[in-house]
Amino acid sequence: MSVVLFKVEVNRLKGEPINNRETEDQQLWKQLPQTEGEERAELLIELAQQAIYRSSGSEALALAEEAHEIYKAMGARASSVAMANAITGIGYSLKELNRVDEATKALDGAIDLLRESGHPFMVDTLRTKASWHGEQGNWNAALECYSEAARINEVDGYRDFLARDLFNIANCNHHLGNWEQVITFALRAREIFKEEKMVFEISWCDLNIADSHAELGDGDAAILWGRRANDIGTLRKDHEMMCKSSYVMARGHILLGKYDEAERLLNDAQGLVAGSSDWTQVKKVEKALISVYRSTGRESDADEAERRLGTLQEIVE
């Protein structure tokens, strides 16, 4: 039996009709008593994948751990890729159980084995680990993983994957407040995305660059890059991009003291975000409007906006 890598298989399962998955699950359980050794381990991994799809983390963990024990008992006869696959299954199972710290540590073992064997799936496992760190707010750890993935892709020549890694590095730096680094890596990612005509990805690079310039106090650059992101958002009717780019352009105008234009853009952003549940963005827009009201002497408008914002914050924070 050939090793089916855990993450790829999980993603495939999530796109299949439920009846097909249930049938496959039943067939695998029927086969299991007649198997042993490597064949049994691979069936256990497939069953663990099915359990993950059903959000049965405890069952998946037991199955993946049994597969891991089989491979350990095989010693040198077990391939490092198969062993890594079982460990990855354990990691996904722990993640399903919200034991994220243990899950990321489990992936370390899989990554080490895949690195030793030179298997290309190691990079994808690094990205998985990075995304899990990001979900926990461990942005330095996520940055380390994405940086290693980027170094590997620079050597191997997978340009589209390199661009995504560079963008993720920029995103980690954004969360860490390293604004110059955001600009550096977003520009590198943008260059490759442009070669590949990846318009959507470029708009997010432009937005991050604009936001970083705003944080650095460069209003003109914030407006320039924000307008580029807004152009793409408008062409694609992407309300999220239109909202966030309008907001960052407004920040640029505030830095330049152009409050009328800032208010117009913030009102646009307010209308775009109103139908969403993106409360973080709602709060950002309201706070910027309050700043404009205060700066233009409209204290009653500012007080009313602060009252509305307080009502929201009481609920969502």
Side-chain angles (χ1 to χ4, degrees), residues 154 159-160 162-164 166-167 183-198 201-203 205-206 209 225 228:
E154 280 186 301
R159 298 282 285 170
D160 53 339
L162 173 59
R164 294 181 191 280
L166 292 171
F167 177 81
I183 294 168
T184 296
F185 284 97
L187 284 171
R188 288 184 61 193
R190 190 186 197 279
E191 182 180 349
I192 300 171
F193 285 141
K194 187 175 180 181
E195 292 171 5
E196 303 294 328
K197 305 294 191 291
M198 299 172 75
E201 288 80 359
I202 286 174
S203 67
C205 289
D206 292 348
I209 293 168
W225 287 98
R228 291 181 175 182

PDB file of all heavy atoms in Angstrom, residues 154 159-160 162-164 166-167 183-198 201-203 205-206 209 225 228:
ATOM      1  N   GLU A 154      12.802  28.972  -2.060  1.00  0.00           N
ATOM      2  CA  GLU A 154      13.749  29.761  -2.854  1.00  0.00           C
ATOM      3  C   GLU A 154      14.741  28.856  -3.558  1.00  0.00           C
ATOM      4  O   GLU A 154      15.157  29.120  -4.690  1.00  0.00           O
ATOM      5  CB  GLU A 154      14.479  30.753  -1.945  1.00  0.00           C
ATOM      6  CG  GLU A 154      13.675  31.997  -1.621  1.00  0.00           C
ATOM      7  CD  GLU A 154      14.477  33.020  -0.852  1.00  0.00           C
ATOM      8  OE1 GLU A 154      14.961  32.680   0.248  1.00  0.00           O
ATOM      9  OE2 GLU A 154      14.619  34.153  -1.336  1.00  0.00           O
ATOM     10  N   ARG A 159       7.756  29.117  -7.298  1.00  0.00           N
ATOM     11  CA  ARG A 159       7.585  30.554  -7.161  1.00  0.00           C
ATOM     12  C   ARG A 159       6.253  30.940  -6.513  1.00  0.00           C
ATOM     13  O   ARG A 159       6.204  31.846  -5.684  1.00  0.00           O
ATOM     14  CB  ARG A 159       7.689  31.213  -8.541  1.00  0.00           C
ATOM     15  CG  ARG A 159       9.026  31.017  -9.223  1.00  0.00           C
ATOM     16  CD  ARG A 159      10.057  31.937  -8.659  1.00  0.00           C
ATOM     17  NE  ARG A 159       9.881  33.309  -9.116  1.00  0.00           N
ATOM     18  CZ  ARG A 159      10.549  34.345  -8.617  1.00  0.00           C
ATOM     19  NH1 ARG A 159      11.413  34.164  -7.623  1.00  0.00           N
ATOM     20  NH2 ARG A 159      10.351  35.562  -9.074  1.00  0.00           N
ATOM     21  N   ASP A 160       5.157  30.270  -6.899  1.00  0.00           N
ATOM     22  CA  ASP A 160       3.872  30.647  -6.327  1.00  0.00           C
ATOM     23  C   ASP A 160       3.825  30.342  -4.836  1.00  0.00           C
ATOM     24  O   ASP A 160       3.305  31.128  -4.037  1.00  0.00           O
ATOM     25  CB  ASP A 160       2.714  29.973  -7.059  1.00  0.00           C
ATOM     26  CG  ASP A 160       2.863  28.469  -7.154  1.00  0.00           C
ATOM     27  OD1 ASP A 160       4.001  27.968  -7.018  1.00  0.00           O
ATOM     28  OD2 ASP A 160       1.847  27.772  -7.382  1.00  0.00           O
ATOM     29  N   LEU A 162       6.486  30.173  -2.903  1.00  0.00           N
ATOM     30  CA  LEU A 162       7.394  31.139  -2.280  1.00  0.00           C
ATOM     31  C   LEU A 162       6.674  32.453  -2.024  1.00  0.00           C
ATOM     32  O   LEU A 162       6.809  33.042  -0.945  1.00  0.00           O
ATOM     33  CB  LEU A 162       8.613  31.370  -3.181  1.00  0.00           C
ATOM     34  CG  LEU A 162       9.568  32.483  -2.746  1.00  0.00           C
ATOM     35  CD1 LEU A 162      10.130  32.214  -1.355  1.00  0.00           C
ATOM     36  CD2 LEU A 162      10.707  32.642  -3.764  1.00  0.00           C
ATOM     37  N   ALA A 163       5.894  32.898  -2.994  1.00  0.00           N
ATOM     38  CA  ALA A 163       5.170  34.156  -2.836  1.00  0.00           C
ATOM     39  C   ALA A 163       4.202  34.085  -1.658  1.00  0.00           C
ATOM     40  O   ALA A 163       4.083  35.026  -0.872  1.00  0.00           O
ATOM     41  CB  ALA A 163       4.414  34.490  -4.115  1.00  0.00           C
ATOM     42  N   ARG A 164       3.517  32.949  -1.525  1.00  0.00           N
ATOM     43  CA  ARG A 164       2.572  32.794  -0.409  1.00  0.00           C
ATOM     44  C   ARG A 164       3.307  32.792   0.933  1.00  0.00           C
ATOM     45  O   ARG A 164       2.823  33.360   1.922  1.00  0.00           O
ATOM     46  CB  ARG A 164       1.758  31.520  -0.589  1.00  0.00           C
ATOM     47  CG  ARG A 164       0.840  31.567  -1.800  1.00  0.00           C
ATOM     48  CD  ARG A 164       0.014  30.301  -1.951  1.00  0.00           C
ATOM     49  NE  ARG A 164      -0.654  30.266  -3.230  1.00  0.00           N
ATOM     50  CZ  ARG A 164      -1.784  30.914  -3.519  1.00  0.00           C
ATOM     51  NH1 ARG A 164      -2.351  31.672  -2.591  1.00  0.00           N
ATOM     52  NH2 ARG A 164      -2.331  30.823  -4.715  1.00  0.00           N
ATOM     53  N   LEU A 166       6.170  34.297   1.527  1.00  0.00           N
ATOM     54  CA  LEU A 166       6.615  35.672   1.760  1.00  0.00           C
ATOM     55  C   LEU A 166       5.456  36.537   2.261  1.00  0.00           C
ATOM     56  O   LEU A 166       5.630  37.373   3.155  1.00  0.00           O
ATOM     57  CB  LEU A 166       7.196  36.265   0.475  1.00  0.00           C
ATOM     58  CG  LEU A 166       8.510  35.639  -0.012  1.00  0.00           C
ATOM     59  CD1 LEU A 166       8.850  36.164  -1.406  1.00  0.00           C
ATOM     60  CD2 LEU A 166       9.647  35.917   0.960  1.00  0.00           C
ATOM     61  N   PHE A 167       4.274  36.317   1.689  1.00  0.00           N
ATOM     62  CA  PHE A 167       3.109  37.066   2.143  1.00  0.00           C
ATOM     63  C   PHE A 167       2.788  36.724   3.597  1.00  0.00           C
ATOM     64  O   PHE A 167       2.455  37.606   4.405  1.00  0.00           O
ATOM     65  CB  PHE A 167       1.895  36.767   1.258  1.00  0.00           C
ATOM     66  CG  PHE A 167       0.646  37.458   1.737  1.00  0.00           C
ATOM     67  CD1 PHE A 167       0.418  38.788   1.425  1.00  0.00           C
ATOM     68  CD2 PHE A 167      -0.284  36.805   2.513  1.00  0.00           C
ATOM     69  CE1 PHE A 167      -0.711  39.459   1.880  1.00  0.00           C
ATOM     70  CE2 PHE A 167      -1.419  37.447   2.977  1.00  0.00           C
ATOM     71  CZ  PHE A 167      -1.636  38.776   2.657  1.00  0.00           C
ATOM     72  N   ILE A 183       6.521  45.755   4.832  1.00  0.00           N
ATOM     73  CA  ILE A 183       6.673  46.355   3.503  1.00  0.00           C
ATOM     74  C   ILE A 183       7.664  45.568   2.666  1.00  0.00           C
ATOM     75  O   ILE A 183       7.414  45.252   1.491  1.00  0.00           O
ATOM     76  CB  ILE A 183       7.113  47.834   3.628  1.00  0.00           C
ATOM     77  CG1 ILE A 183       5.996  48.653   4.289  1.00  0.00           C
ATOM     78  CG2 ILE A 183       7.474  48.411   2.269  1.00  0.00           C
ATOM     79  CD1 ILE A 183       6.418  50.054   4.714  1.00  0.00           C
ATOM     80  N   THR A 184       8.797  45.201   3.253  1.00  0.00           N
ATOM     81  CA  THR A 184       9.833  44.470   2.521  1.00  0.00           C
ATOM     82  C   THR A 184       9.307  43.154   1.973  1.00  0.00           C
ATOM     83  O   THR A 184       9.464  42.849   0.773  1.00  0.00           O
ATOM     84  CB  THR A 184      11.037  44.203   3.447  1.00  0.00           C
ATOM     85  OG1 THR A 184      11.622  45.444   3.834  1.00  0.00           O
ATOM     86  CG2 THR A 184      12.090  43.338   2.745  1.00  0.00           C
ATOM     87  N   PHE A 185       8.664  42.356   2.813  1.00  0.00           N
ATOM     88  CA  PHE A 185       8.236  41.031   2.383  1.00  0.00           C
ATOM     89  C   PHE A 185       6.969  41.082   1.527  1.00  0.00           C
ATOM     90  O   PHE A 185       6.796  40.257   0.617  1.00  0.00           O
ATOM     91  CB  PHE A 185       8.055  40.109   3.590  1.00  0.00           C
ATOM     92  CG  PHE A 185       9.352  39.623   4.154  1.00  0.00           C
ATOM     93  CD1 PHE A 185       9.934  40.245   5.245  1.00  0.00           C
ATOM     94  CD2 PHE A 185      10.020  38.557   3.556  1.00  0.00           C
ATOM     95  CE1 PHE A 185      11.154  39.807   5.748  1.00  0.00           C
ATOM     96  CE2 PHE A 185      11.233  38.105   4.053  1.00  0.00           C
ATOM     97  CZ  PHE A 185      11.803  38.732   5.154  1.00  0.00           C
ATOM     98  N   ALA A 186       6.093  42.054   1.783  1.00  0.00           N
ATOM     99  CA  ALA A 186       4.905  42.188   0.935  1.00  0.00           C
ATOM    100  C   ALA A 186       5.307  42.606  -0.478  1.00  0.00           C
ATOM    101  O   ALA A 186       4.712  42.139  -1.467  1.00  0.00           O
ATOM    102  CB  ALA A 186       3.936  43.198   1.535  1.00  0.00           C
ATOM    103  N   LEU A 187       6.316  43.463  -0.597  1.00  0.00           N
ATOM    104  CA  LEU A 187       6.796  43.856  -1.929  1.00  0.00           C
ATOM    105  C   LEU A 187       7.414  42.672  -2.668  1.00  0.00           C
ATOM    106  O   LEU A 187       7.221  42.501  -3.881  1.00  0.00           O
ATOM    107  CB  LEU A 187       7.814  44.986  -1.808  1.00  0.00           C
ATOM    108  CG  LEU A 187       7.250  46.383  -1.516  1.00  0.00           C
ATOM    109  CD1 LEU A 187       8.379  47.361  -1.203  1.00  0.00           C
ATOM    110  CD2 LEU A 187       6.423  46.890  -2.707  1.00  0.00           C
ATOM    111  N   ARG A 188       8.168  41.842  -1.951  1.00  0.00           N
ATOM    112  CA  ARG A 188       8.753  40.652  -2.578  1.00  0.00           C
ATOM    113  C   ARG A 188       7.662  39.687  -3.040  1.00  0.00           C
ATOM    114  O   ARG A 188       7.724  39.140  -4.153  1.00  0.00           O
ATOM    115  CB  ARG A 188       9.700  39.952  -1.610  1.00  0.00           C
ATOM    116  CG  ARG A 188      11.007  40.681  -1.347  1.00  0.00           C
ATOM    117  CD  ARG A 188      11.919  39.855  -0.436  1.00  0.00           C
ATOM    118  NE  ARG A 188      12.260  38.576  -1.037  1.00  0.00           N
ATOM    119  CZ  ARG A 188      12.821  37.559  -0.380  1.00  0.00           C
ATOM    120  NH1 ARG A 188      13.078  37.695   0.923  1.00  0.00           N
ATOM    121  NH2 ARG A 188      13.102  36.435  -0.992  1.00  0.00           N
ATOM    122  N   ALA A 189       6.669  39.486  -2.189  1.00  0.00           N
ATOM    123  CA  ALA A 189       5.559  38.608  -2.564  1.00  0.00           C
ATOM    124  C   ALA A 189       4.811  39.190  -3.755  1.00  0.00           C
ATOM    125  O   ALA A 189       4.451  38.462  -4.697  1.00  0.00           O
ATOM    126  CB  ALA A 189       4.610  38.429  -1.375  1.00  0.00           C
ATOM    127  N   ARG A 190       4.594  40.500  -3.729  1.00  0.00           N
ATOM    128  CA  ARG A 190       3.847  41.165  -4.798  1.00  0.00           C
ATOM    129  C   ARG A 190       4.513  40.977  -6.157  1.00  0.00           C
ATOM    130  O   ARG A 190       3.848  40.778  -7.183  1.00  0.00           O
ATOM    131  CB  ARG A 190       3.733  42.659  -4.477  1.00  0.00           C
ATOM    132  CG  ARG A 190       2.786  43.420  -5.380  1.00  0.00           C
ATOM    133  CD  ARG A 190       2.843  44.917  -5.089  1.00  0.00           C
ATOM    134  NE  ARG A 190       1.701  45.615  -5.642  1.00  0.00           N
ATOM    135  CZ  ARG A 190       1.585  45.984  -6.911  1.00  0.00           C
ATOM    136  NH1 ARG A 190       2.573  45.717  -7.775  1.00  0.00           N
ATOM    137  NH2 ARG A 190       0.498  46.606  -7.341  1.00  0.00           N
ATOM    138  N   GLU A 191       5.835  41.057  -6.162  1.00  0.00           N
ATOM    139  CA  GLU A 191       6.580  40.913  -7.415  1.00  0.00           C
ATOM    140  C   GLU A 191       6.316  39.552  -8.061  1.00  0.00           C
ATOM    141  O   GLU A 191       6.108  39.445  -9.275  1.00  0.00           O
ATOM    142  CB  GLU A 191       8.070  41.089  -7.144  1.00  0.00           C
ATOM    143  CG  GLU A 191       8.950  41.007  -8.386  1.00  0.00           C
ATOM    144  CD  GLU A 191      10.426  41.189  -8.070  1.00  0.00           C
ATOM    145  OE1 GLU A 191      10.756  41.588  -6.940  1.00  0.00           O
ATOM    146  OE2 GLU A 191      11.252  40.916  -8.967  1.00  0.00           O
ATOM    147  N   ILE A 192       6.317  38.516  -7.245  1.00  0.00           N
ATOM    148  CA  ILE A 192       6.076  37.167  -7.772  1.00  0.00           C
ATOM    149  C   ILE A 192       4.612  36.998  -8.149  1.00  0.00           C
ATOM    150  O   ILE A 192       4.288  36.427  -9.212  1.00  0.00           O
ATOM    151  CB  ILE A 192       6.496  36.103  -6.744  1.00  0.00           C
ATOM    152  CG1 ILE A 192       7.984  36.241  -6.422  1.00  0.00           C
ATOM    153  CG2 ILE A 192       6.205  34.694  -7.276  1.00  0.00           C
ATOM    154  CD1 ILE A 192       8.455  35.374  -5.260  1.00  0.00           C
ATOM    155  N   PHE A 193       3.705  37.480  -7.312  1.00  0.00           N
ATOM    156  CA  PHE A 193       2.276  37.396  -7.640  1.00  0.00           C
ATOM    157  C   PHE A 193       1.992  38.097  -8.972  1.00  0.00           C
ATOM    158  O   PHE A 193       1.158  37.649  -9.761  1.00  0.00           O
ATOM    159  CB  PHE A 193       1.431  38.029  -6.533  1.00  0.00           C
ATOM    160  CG  PHE A 193       1.305  37.200  -5.290  1.00  0.00           C
ATOM    161  CD1 PHE A 193       1.332  37.806  -4.035  1.00  0.00           C
ATOM    162  CD2 PHE A 193       1.127  35.824  -5.350  1.00  0.00           C
ATOM    163  CE1 PHE A 193       1.201  37.051  -2.878  1.00  0.00           C
ATOM    164  CE2 PHE A 193       0.998  35.057  -4.192  1.00  0.00           C
ATOM    165  CZ  PHE A 193       1.030  35.677  -2.953  1.00  0.00           C
ATOM    166  N   LYS A 194       2.693  39.201  -9.216  1.00  0.00           N
ATOM    167  CA  LYS A 194       2.493  39.929 -10.475  1.00  0.00           C
ATOM    168  C   LYS A 194       2.944  39.095 -11.665  1.00  0.00           C
ATOM    169  O   LYS A 194       2.283  39.067 -12.712  1.00  0.00           O
ATOM    170  CB  LYS A 194       3.244  41.264 -10.435  1.00  0.00           C
ATOM    171  CG  LYS A 194       2.942  42.159 -11.630  1.00  0.00           C
ATOM    172  CD  LYS A 194       3.611  43.519 -11.479  1.00  0.00           C
ATOM    173  CE  LYS A 194       3.301  44.402 -12.681  1.00  0.00           C
ATOM    174  NZ  LYS A 194       3.955  45.729 -12.568  1.00  0.00           N
ATOM    175  N   GLU A 195       4.074  38.397 -11.504  1.00  0.00           N
ATOM    176  CA  GLU A 195       4.539  37.503 -12.573  1.00  0.00           C
ATOM    177  C   GLU A 195       3.479  36.449 -12.907  1.00  0.00           C
ATOM    178  O   GLU A 195       3.315  36.055 -14.064  1.00  0.00           O
ATOM    179  CB  GLU A 195       5.828  36.803 -12.150  1.00  0.00           C
ATOM    180  CG  GLU A 195       7.037  37.708 -12.017  1.00  0.00           C
ATOM    181  CD  GLU A 195       8.215  36.986 -11.389  1.00  0.00           C
ATOM    182  OE1 GLU A 195       8.110  35.747 -11.155  1.00  0.00           O
ATOM    183  OE2 GLU A 195       9.249  37.631 -11.117  1.00  0.00           O
ATOM    184  N   GLU A 196       2.780  35.994 -11.860  1.00  0.00           N
ATOM    185  CA  GLU A 196       1.785  34.933 -12.019  1.00  0.00           C
ATOM    186  C   GLU A 196       0.379  35.475 -12.288  1.00  0.00           C
ATOM    187  O   GLU A 196      -0.568  34.700 -12.377  1.00  0.00           O
ATOM    188  CB  GLU A 196       1.755  34.059 -10.754  1.00  0.00           C
ATOM    189  CG  GLU A 196       3.085  33.442 -10.379  1.00  0.00           C
ATOM    190  CD  GLU A 196       3.574  32.438 -11.397  1.00  0.00           C
ATOM    191  OE1 GLU A 196       2.714  31.769 -12.018  1.00  0.00           O
ATOM    192  OE2 GLU A 196       4.803  32.334 -11.578  1.00  0.00           O
ATOM    193  N   LYS A 197       0.238  36.812 -12.410  1.00  0.00           N
ATOM    194  CA  LYS A 197      -1.066  37.458 -12.663  1.00  0.00           C
ATOM    195  C   LYS A 197      -2.088  37.127 -11.572  1.00  0.00           C
ATOM    196  O   LYS A 197      -3.278  36.956 -11.841  1.00  0.00           O
ATOM    197  CB  LYS A 197      -1.612  37.036 -14.038  1.00  0.00           C
ATOM    198  CG  LYS A 197      -0.673  37.275 -15.206  1.00  0.00           C
ATOM    199  CD  LYS A 197      -0.439  38.755 -15.453  1.00  0.00           C
ATOM    200  CE  LYS A 197       0.280  39.019 -16.757  1.00  0.00           C
ATOM    201  NZ  LYS A 197       1.685  38.576 -16.745  1.00  0.00           N
ATOM    202  N   MET A 198      -1.634  37.081 -10.329  1.00  0.00           N
ATOM    203  CA  MET A 198      -2.500  36.730  -9.193  1.00  0.00           C
ATOM    204  C   MET A 198      -3.033  38.021  -8.574  1.00  0.00           C
ATOM    205  O   MET A 198      -2.495  38.546  -7.599  1.00  0.00           O
ATOM    206  CB  MET A 198      -1.731  35.868  -8.204  1.00  0.00           C
ATOM    207  CG  MET A 198      -1.261  34.560  -8.828  1.00  0.00           C
ATOM    208  SD  MET A 198      -0.148  33.564  -7.786  1.00  0.00           S
ATOM    209  CE  MET A 198      -1.315  32.895  -6.601  1.00  0.00           C
ATOM    210  N   GLU A 201      -4.328  38.256  -4.740  1.00  0.00           N
ATOM    211  CA  GLU A 201      -3.225  38.238  -3.776  1.00  0.00           C
ATOM    212  C   GLU A 201      -2.473  39.569  -3.763  1.00  0.00           C
ATOM    213  O   GLU A 201      -2.039  40.039  -2.701  1.00  0.00           O
ATOM    214  CB  GLU A 201      -2.278  37.092  -4.105  1.00  0.00           C
ATOM    215  CG  GLU A 201      -2.825  35.712  -3.799  1.00  0.00           C
ATOM    216  CD  GLU A 201      -3.778  35.161  -4.845  1.00  0.00           C
ATOM    217  OE1 GLU A 201      -4.044  35.873  -5.847  1.00  0.00           O
ATOM    218  OE2 GLU A 201      -4.282  34.034  -4.672  1.00  0.00           O
ATOM    219  N   ILE A 202      -2.324  40.174  -4.947  1.00  0.00           N
ATOM    220  CA  ILE A 202      -1.632  41.456  -5.027  1.00  0.00           C
ATOM    221  C   ILE A 202      -2.384  42.524  -4.238  1.00  0.00           C
ATOM    222  O   ILE A 202      -1.776  43.361  -3.554  1.00  0.00           O
ATOM    223  CB  ILE A 202      -1.466  41.881  -6.504  1.00  0.00           C
ATOM    224  CG1 ILE A 202      -0.372  41.032  -7.168  1.00  0.00           C
ATOM    225  CG2 ILE A 202      -1.117  43.368  -6.613  1.00  0.00           C
ATOM    226  CD1 ILE A 202      -0.234  41.260  -8.653  1.00  0.00           C
ATOM    227  N   SER A 203      -3.722  42.499  -4.301  1.00  0.00           N
ATOM    228  CA  SER A 203      -4.494  43.518  -3.583  1.00  0.00           C
ATOM    229  C   SER A 203      -4.250  43.430  -2.081  1.00  0.00           C
ATOM    230  O   SER A 203      -4.191  44.461  -1.392  1.00  0.00           O
ATOM    231  CB  SER A 203      -5.988  43.371  -3.899  1.00  0.00           C
ATOM    232  OG  SER A 203      -6.537  42.170  -3.385  1.00  0.00           O
ATOM    233  N   CYS A 205      -1.440  42.296  -0.689  1.00  0.00           N
ATOM    234  CA  CYS A 205      -0.095  42.846  -0.484  1.00  0.00           C
ATOM    235  C   CYS A 205      -0.163  44.366  -0.403  1.00  0.00           C
ATOM    236  O   CYS A 205       0.419  44.990   0.500  1.00  0.00           O
ATOM    237  CB  CYS A 205       0.827  42.438  -1.633  1.00  0.00           C
ATOM    238  SG  CYS A 205       1.281  40.695  -1.669  1.00  0.00           S
ATOM    239  N   ASP A 206      -0.894  44.978  -1.340  1.00  0.00           N
ATOM    240  CA  ASP A 206      -1.000  46.435  -1.378  1.00  0.00           C
ATOM    241  C   ASP A 206      -1.654  46.976  -0.111  1.00  0.00           C
ATOM    242  O   ASP A 206      -1.238  48.012   0.422  1.00  0.00           O
ATOM    243  CB  ASP A 206      -1.805  46.862  -2.608  1.00  0.00           C
ATOM    244  CG  ASP A 206      -1.075  46.575  -3.913  1.00  0.00           C
ATOM    245  OD1 ASP A 206       0.129  46.260  -3.867  1.00  0.00           O
ATOM    246  OD2 ASP A 206      -1.714  46.661  -4.977  1.00  0.00           O
ATOM    247  N   ILE A 209       0.859  46.851   2.707  1.00  0.00           N
ATOM    248  CA  ILE A 209       1.869  47.900   2.514  1.00  0.00           C
ATOM    249  C   ILE A 209       1.293  49.260   2.913  1.00  0.00           C
ATOM    250  O   ILE A 209       1.940  50.053   3.609  1.00  0.00           O
ATOM    251  CB  ILE A 209       2.350  47.916   1.046  1.00  0.00           C
ATOM    252  CG1 ILE A 209       3.128  46.623   0.734  1.00  0.00           C
ATOM    253  CG2 ILE A 209       3.228  49.137   0.776  1.00  0.00           C
ATOM    254  CD1 ILE A 209       3.395  46.400  -0.749  1.00  0.00           C
ATOM    255  N   TRP A 225      -0.873  53.327  -1.861  1.00  0.00           N
ATOM    256  CA  TRP A 225      -1.017  51.871  -1.864  1.00  0.00           C
ATOM    257  C   TRP A 225      -2.455  51.456  -1.526  1.00  0.00           C
ATOM    258  O   TRP A 225      -2.956  50.456  -2.057  1.00  0.00           O
ATOM    259  CB  TRP A 225      -0.028  51.246  -0.883  1.00  0.00           C
ATOM    260  CG  TRP A 225       1.380  51.295  -1.400  1.00  0.00           C
ATOM    261  CD1 TRP A 225       2.341  52.217  -1.083  1.00  0.00           C
ATOM    262  CD2 TRP A 225       1.962  50.423  -2.357  1.00  0.00           C
ATOM    263  NE1 TRP A 225       3.499  51.955  -1.780  1.00  0.00           N
ATOM    264  CE2 TRP A 225       3.300  50.852  -2.571  1.00  0.00           C
ATOM    265  CE3 TRP A 225       1.504  49.315  -3.056  1.00  0.00           C
ATOM    266  CZ2 TRP A 225       4.167  50.215  -3.443  1.00  0.00           C
ATOM    267  CZ3 TRP A 225       2.375  48.666  -3.935  1.00  0.00           C
ATOM    268  CH2 TRP A 225       3.677  49.114  -4.121  1.00  0.00           C
ATOM    269  N   ARG A 228      -4.490  51.550  -4.692  1.00  0.00           N
ATOM    270  CA  ARG A 228      -4.258  50.380  -5.548  1.00  0.00           C
ATOM    271  C   ARG A 228      -5.093  49.189  -5.080  1.00  0.00           C
ATOM    272  O   ARG A 228      -5.720  48.488  -5.878  1.00  0.00           O
ATOM    273  CB  ARG A 228      -2.772  50.014  -5.552  1.00  0.00           C
ATOM    274  CG  ARG A 228      -1.889  51.013  -6.263  1.00  0.00           C
ATOM    275  CD  ARG A 228      -0.428  50.590  -6.247  1.00  0.00           C
ATOM    276  NE  ARG A 228       0.394  51.499  -7.021  1.00  0.00           N
ATOM    277  CZ  ARG A 228       1.702  51.354  -7.205  1.00  0.00           C
ATOM    278  NH1 ARG A 228       2.335  50.333  -6.647  1.00  0.00           N
ATOM    279  NH2 ARG A 228       2.374  52.220  -7.921  1.00  0.00           N
TER     280      ARG A 228
END
